[in-house]
Amino acid sequence: MTESAELVREHDTDLGTVPQAAPTPAAELAWGRHYVAVEPSHFRIDYAINPFMDPEVQPDPALAMEQWQTMVATLRGLGATVDVLPQRADAPDMVYAMNLGLGLVRPGGERHVVMSHMRYPQRRMETGSAQEWFAASGATTSYVGRDGVGAHLEAGDAFAFGDALVVGYGPRTEELALKHLALELGVRVRGLRITHPGMYHLDLAFCPLDERRAMVCPAALDAPSARALMELVPEALVLTEEEALTTFAANSVVVGRTVVMPACPDRVRAQLEAWGFDVVIVDVSEFHLGGGSIRCLTNPVDITLGRDLPVLPRGEVVLPPLD
């Protein structure tokens, strides 16, 4: 058993037992009410850049479109705004909109997007089209690297939680990108080292639920990072490696007190409901063939500096110790 897996046992020796609900509900997330998504007009598997992808196993285009439309309708029905970008014909992964860029609102209300710099060249053309769309919609944009030069950053690794922007690094995002984000945005960045090949983005292992709670899968990280994440989240709903990889439960989104999930193990549902959340299941299994689920298909652009992330004028990077 790895040390990260042992942390799961330390946290809850019987994962089938639901902990008691907190006596006072935490304040719900202020962000997660405005998303950008990409219509899957050209979704397919042309290459393999993660363990889920197999060009020999193609999604059903009609079913994928139906699932995506149901997801968008569900989010809008919960009161969220969902803006839709067209998909480039030569960018089959562009439908995973979470990785187009890190969308934020500055304290004065200005919308800004730090564009992703994809690790794999197969996806880099997505960023140019997305940058044009964001700029045309009135947002300012910036880069930490582009066109294969500079630090790699993929926005599926970055989440606002607690006192920091929590950023996974290793498989896709590089450690150097954390310094760029801290300096440019003037925030604290807490880095977590991802080591699991199947959870190559943090959004496959971490889902903020409210100000105190999150779904977490420590097995995605090395031991010091797993411990740092468990210490960061006051009330963690721990997912096993199997749950994270087979249900994509962490790759969910939260609108107010509703968790929109691709699947939900019974014990996870019991804990979420004990905490006062509603669970809505939306089948997006065609997109699991490409290695992403509901969070990967949606990009929140309403994280607000000064409200959801404390502002530190000179920024700060906090890294876990080395093994």
Side-chain angles (χ1 to χ4, degrees):
M1 178 180 295
T2 66
E3 188 173 349
S4 294
E6 184 63 29
L7 286 174
V8 177
R9 295 175 61 86
E10 290 177 9
H11 176 77
D12 187 350
T13 57
D14 182 2
L15 288 175
T17 301
V18 177
Q20 295 297 311
T24 303
E28 63 186 44
L29 288 178
W31 58 273
R33 310 301 181 101
H34 187 179
Y35 295 93
V36 168
V38 175
E39 187 175 61
S41 305
H42 305 285
F43 174 54
R44 59 192 183 276
I45 310 298
D46 280 359
Y47 42 76
I49 60 173
N50 67 56
F52 298 94
M53 302 178 82
D54 181 355
E56 297 299 318
V57 182
Q58 290 294 321
D60 180 319
L63 180 56
M65 181 65 76
E66 179 183 342
Q67 290 179 348
W68 182 88
Q69 290 172 339
T70 298
M71 179 197 70
V72 171
T74 299
L75 293 174
R76 288 173 173 166
L78 292 170
T81 298
V82 182
D83 297 328
V84 178
L85 281 71
Q87 184 176 15
R88 291 178 56 134
D90 63 346
D93 268 355
M94 191 175 175
V95 68
Y96 299 113
M98 181 66 182
N99 287 299
L100 296 177
L102 175 61
L104 301 154
V105 181
R106 295 193 184 276
E110 177 187 55
R111 293 183 294 119
H112 182 75
V113 183
V114 182
M115 305 305 303
S116 289
H117 180 209
M118 306 293 192
R119 171 79 70 166
Y120 288 99
Q122 292 94 327
R123 295 199 63 182
R124 288 180 190 154
M125 79 287 283
E126 301 172 23
T127 306
S129 295
Q131 188 278 333
E132 292 176 359
W133 186 91
F134 281 119
S137 71
T140 58
T141 61
S142 63
Y143 293 85
V144 301
R146 60 191 302 182
D147 301 326
V149 178
H152 292 113
L153 167 70
E154 298 194 6
D157 280 324
F159 287 92
F161 189 83
D163 66 349
L165 185 67
V166 181
V167 182
Y169 65 97
R172 298 296 183 87
T173 295
E174 290 181 297
E175 181 182 334
L176 179 60
L178 279 58
K179 297 178 181 179
H180 285 289
L181 290 172
L183 286 171
E184 178 184 346
L185 301 176
V187 299
R188 177 179 293 108
V189 174
R190 293 190 180 276
L192 301 171
R193 283 189 295 272
I194 299 173
T195 54
H196 196 293
M199 288 178 274
Y200 45 89
H201 283 137
L202 189 61
D203 62 16
L204 293 165
F206 179 54
C207 179
L209 296 168
D210 61 22
E211 290 185 342
R212 292 181 52 82
R213 305 179 179 112
M215 288 187 282
V216 302
C217 181
L221 310 168
D222 68 9
S225 294
R227 195 172 299 280
L229 180 57
M230 296 296 288
E231 292 173 353
L232 178 65
V233 180
E235 297 178 72
L237 201 172
V238 177
L239 302 175
T240 66
E241 178 182 17
E242 181 181 6
E243 287 170 336
L245 292 174
T246 62
T247 72
F248 285 80
N251 204 248
S252 301
V253 302
V254 181
V255 181
R257 303 299 292 181
T258 300
V259 189
V260 183
M261 308 182 69
C264 187
D266 289 344
R267 71 165 193 91
V268 174
R269 179 188 288 271
Q271 180 61 90
L272 290 171
E273 291 178 346
W275 279 340
F277 292 98
D278 296 319
V279 175
V280 174
I281 303 298
V282 177
D283 180 11
V284 291
S285 52
E286 291 301 291
F287 298 97
H288 294 179
L289 297 176
S293 195
I294 293 173
R295 173 67 73 186
C296 288
L297 294 168
T298 55
N299 189 329
V301 292
D302 56 345
I303 294 171
T304 301
L305 297 177
R307 182 192 70 182
D308 308 316
L309 279 174
V311 176
L312 299 177
R314 300 179 65 178
E316 180 184 33
V317 175
V318 180
L319 296 176
L322 296 173
D323 284 325

